[in-house]
Amino acid sequence: MKRKALIELLEGYAARWPGESETCERFLEFVRRNEDCFERSLQEGHVTGSAWLVNRAGTHVLLTHHRKLGAWFQLGGHADGESDVSRVALQEALEESGLSELSLLDEAIFDIDIHLIPARKADPDHYHFDVRFVVQATGSEAFQVSEESLDLAWVEIDSISDFTEEVSMLRMAGKWKGRLKLESV
């Protein structure tokens, strides 16, 4: 079963973040109900993979000014049939940043989000069931803006609210700051 690994990761996430139980339950129900949850063709919605891409020092996150959505977000994209969502997140980070030396910092899910993508051209509105992983730049931090972005920026974690008011982005910043505090103890 292609979905088994994701279901196990989501169950682990739910145990670590009980305050997000409603989102976790909705996400799990979607994945369990849809064998084709990793396919963009599933019109209700589909699984996507994203990267909370931090610099070597862990003080900044690379954000994209998303061309289609016109707002600042983490890097990420469609699974397109790939059930290893951490691989999707890493690949999207590589493609969208132009950075060649990246590594997955943790196998566990960092964050999840379910958000509505508005209708565009032939695509009706649909949901992205987004799975986010921490990815770290381990080499050069000189990025290249891809055609999917209007711009990219290394944003200091404490300054995220200067770029976005998106709840999930602020939540990830809070989680990251909490993680850094734990690591410094």
Side-chain angles (χ1 to χ4, degrees), residues 10-27:
L10 288 166
E11 288 170 342
Y13 182 85
R16 284 190 318 281
W17 300 100
E20 297 180 41
S21 62
E22 187 176 311
T23 303
C24 289
E25 289 170 19
R26 183 174 166 205
F27 207 125

Side-chain angles (χ1 to χ4, degrees), residues 36-113:
D36 55 347
C37 65
F38 301 105
E39 298 294 340
R40 195 186 304 214
S41 59
L42 181 59
Q43 288 201 358
E44 171 189 353
H46 32 265
V47 172
T48 56
S50 290
W52 178 256
L53 175 52
V54 295
N55 63 346
R56 279 185 306 281
T59 57
H60 292 70
V61 62
L62 188 61
L63 298 183
T64 174
H65 191 197
H66 198 278
R67 183 173 297 280
K68 290 180 183 173
L69 299 175
W72 291 93
F73 295 104
Q74 75 286 346
L75 305 175
H78 293 95
D80 287 331
E82 173 60 64
S83 62
D84 182 344
V85 193
S86 65
R87 184 179 300 159
V88 173
L90 192 56
Q91 186 61 39
E92 290 292 331
L94 288 164
E95 290 173 4
E96 293 181 14
S97 71
L99 300 176
S100 60
E101 297 176 65
L102 301 177
S103 65
L104 193 63
L105 212 56
D106 194 343
E107 297 288 326
I109 294 172
F110 176 62
D111 190 67
I112 61 170
D113 192 59

